[in-house]
């Protein structure tokens, strides 16, 4: 009996460990593929970094010296090796537009994107799951129809157009929201930003009105960004909930006298955790993409605006650095979600 119990315990531990190992292997291979792709993009970019650095009127000797300094005259495999070594030391090169290290610039702007995207994800996930529960509680009714229309509108309207219209109405006309930027001008250059997260730094500054200013400037872009994925979360969660309502355990719960709302919240919702985690992870990656437009429209300093400016100036190191950071964020989010889904759902182990 003891041996049987020990065997079951070992088997119970082995399955999650196997799920974690498979997820880590997949994560490593995807990261390796991303590094190879960003290197190939850099190597075959139509923009010549050496020519961009020395200018069109430089001599051949100066141009050759710049190519050697940038490691452009080495064979591709050797350049790829140097690229991996530099990445290992956190070196993403120098921005040709500002002359500053790309890694340092990304460390300054990424917290703003992380803050905005995470807040938008919390709003969209809580609201989307709530709408999906209401829709599944009364499927086919007027509540379901209204929620489906709202979800469709949220997914269909371009976010940059919605952002411009919202700025015109809620900021310029009604003065309900803060304008472009992360703070009012009175606080923009007087508050230290050690974390790069404006809500935390403004609250810690203790300056009267600073936190309220940060909230006013954050609310509108966060709501707009949340509306970008709200429809997807609500529709996919609703479909998952309605599918689970036909399972035998739901029939048994009804036979025991449980109400529909109780069944949805206490039985069906926990069993939909795997699909919901996948939907929310996909939504998070979409929010990071959507932040590019939102930060540009609202003039918020973030990795999206940084990438847009880099594209305008043809700043290849900055473009590749921002692409690499966003790609790593996508891979980590999906990898962690895949690991959690495998751990939570025994059918996938």
């Amino acid at each position: 009996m003891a041996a049987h119990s020990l065997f079951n315990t070992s088997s119970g531990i082995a399955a999650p460990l196997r799920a974690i190992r498979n997820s880590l292997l997949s994560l490593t291979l995807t990261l390796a593929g991303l590094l190879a792709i960003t290197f190939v993009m850099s190597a075959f970019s139509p923009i010549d970094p050496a020519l961009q650095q020395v200018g069109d009127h430089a001599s051949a000797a100066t141009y050759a010296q710049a190519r050697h300094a940038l490691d452009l005259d080495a064979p591709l495999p050797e350049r790829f090796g140097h690229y991996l070594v530099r990445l290992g030391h956190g070196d993403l090169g120098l921005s040709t537009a500002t002359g500053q290290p790309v890694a340092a610039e990304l460390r300054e702007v990424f917290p703003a994107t992380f803050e905005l995207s995470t807040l938008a994800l919390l709003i969209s996930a809580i609201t989307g799951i709530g709408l999906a529960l209401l829709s599944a509680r009364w499927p086919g009714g007027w509540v379901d129809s209204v929620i489906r229309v709202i979800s469709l509108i949220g997914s269909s309207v371009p976010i940059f157009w919605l952002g411009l219209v919202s700025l015109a109405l809620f900021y310029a006309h009604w003065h309900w929201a803060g304008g472009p930027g992360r703070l009012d001008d009175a606080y923009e250059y007087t508050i230290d930003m050690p974390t790069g997260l404006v809500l935390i730094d403004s609250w810690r500054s203790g300056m009267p009105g600073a936190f309220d200013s940060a909230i006013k400037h954050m609310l509108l872009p966060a709501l707009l960004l949340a509306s970008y994925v709200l429809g997807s979360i609500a529709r996919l969660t609703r479909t998952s909930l309605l599918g689970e309502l036909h399972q035998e355990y739901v029939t048994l719960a009804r036979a025991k006298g449980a109400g529909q709302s109780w069944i949805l919240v206490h039985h069906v919702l926990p069993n939909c955790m795997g699909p919901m985690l996948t939907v929310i992870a996909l939504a998070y990656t979409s929010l990071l993409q959507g932040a590019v437009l939102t930060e540009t429209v609202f003039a918020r300093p973030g990795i999206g605006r940084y990438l847009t400016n880099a594209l305008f100036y043809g700043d290849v190191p900055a473009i590749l650095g921002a692409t690499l950071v966003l790609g790593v964020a996508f891979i980590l989010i999906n990898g962690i979600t895949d690991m959690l889904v495998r751990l939570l759902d025994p059918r996938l182990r």
Side-chain angles (χ1 to χ4, degrees):
M1 186 68 179
H4 182 263
S5 175
L6 179 61
F7 176 78
N8 285 338
T9 304
S10 301
S11 177
I13 294 174
L17 287 178
R18 189 165 55 249
I20 292 173
R21 183 199 61 194
N22 292 338
S23 297
L24 288 176
L25 180 62
S26 174
L27 193 65
T28 305
L29 291 175
T30 312
L31 278 172
L34 175 66
L35 292 176
I37 289 173
T38 52
F39 172 74
V40 169
M41 287 171 61
S42 170
F44 294 99
S45 168
I47 301 174
D48 187 343
L51 185 63
Q52 196 176 31
Q53 188 178 77
V54 299
D56 295 334
H57 303 290
S59 64
T62 306
Y63 175 71
Q65 189 177 5
R67 282 184 60 82
H68 180 72
L70 294 172
D71 201 26
L72 298 176
D73 55 354
L76 276 180
E78 187 179 335
R79 287 173 58 188
F80 186 58
H82 294 165
Y83 174 68
L84 293 180
V85 170
R86 287 197 301 271
L87 282 181
H89 290 85
D91 182 7
L92 296 175
L94 294 178
S95 166
T96 56
T98 64
Q100 299 298 314
V102 173
E105 292 184 336
L106 288 173
R107 278 197 296 271
E108 290 181 4
V109 297
F110 186 72
T113 301
F114 171 76
E115 182 181 39
L116 178 62
S117 302
T118 304
L119 186 60
L121 181 71
L122 289 174
I123 295 172
S124 58
I126 294 171
T127 310
I129 293 172
L131 291 176
L133 283 170
L134 290 174
S135 188
R137 174 64 182 83
W138 293 283
W142 67 270
V143 175
D144 188 21
S145 300
V146 169
I147 291 173
R148 287 166 66 184
V149 170
I150 292 173
S151 301
L152 190 61
I153 292 173
S155 304
S156 307
V157 179
I159 193 168
F160 66 91
W161 180 84
L162 200 58
L164 292 173
V165 171
S166 301
L167 271 178
L169 290 176
F170 296 105
Y171 167 62
H173 187 68
W174 290 322
H175 306 291
W176 291 352
R182 296 205 293 173
L183 289 164
D184 290 337
D185 292 340
Y187 310 107
E188 185 70 46
Y189 303 104
T190 54
I191 293 179
D192 292 331
M193 294 281 187
T195 68
L197 306 174
V198 68
L199 293 179
I200 293 177
D201 291 332
S202 61
W203 176 68
R204 292 179 60 186
S205 72
M207 191 175 292
F211 185 68
D212 292 342
S213 174
I215 289 286
K216 283 178 63 179
H217 284 261
M218 174 69 78
L219 199 55
L220 193 54
L223 287 174
L224 286 176
L225 200 54
S227 72
Y228 181 57
V229 296
L230 174 62
S232 301
I233 294 177
R235 281 187 291 108
L236 294 175
T237 305
R238 171 187 177 275
T239 303
S240 183
L241 291 173
L242 290 177
E244 281 292 317
L245 282 175
H246 298 291
Q247 298 297 322
E248 290 183 357
Y249 71 86
V250 175
T251 305
L252 179 62
R254 286 184 180 135
K256 289 184 176 180
Q260 186 76 347
S261 300
W262 177 272
I263 291 172
L264 273 171
V265 174
H266 292 88
H267 296 286
V268 174
L269 190 62
N271 284 331
C272 294
M273 195 60 70
M276 280 168 44
L277 279 175
T278 305
V279 171
I280 290 172
L282 291 174
Y284 203 7
T285 57
S286 299
L287 288 174
L288 289 173
Q289 295 176 18
V292 173
L293 293 174
T294 309
E295 288 168 357
T296 304
V297 171
F298 286 90
R300 297 180 65 85
I303 197 168
R305 192 179 173 202
Y306 179 80
L307 183 57
T308 305
N309 292 334
L311 287 169
F312 279 130
Y313 289 109
D315 189 348
V316 176
I319 295 170
L320 292 178
T323 304
L324 186 62
V325 169
L326 286 175
V328 169
F330 288 5
I331 291 171
L332 288 178
I333 291 169
N334 284 302
I336 292 171
T337 304
D338 183 54
M339 200 180 300
L340 289 174
V341 169
R342 286 173 187 267
L343 289 173
L344 292 173
D345 192 342
R347 295 170 297 182
L348 300 177
R349 292 173 192 167

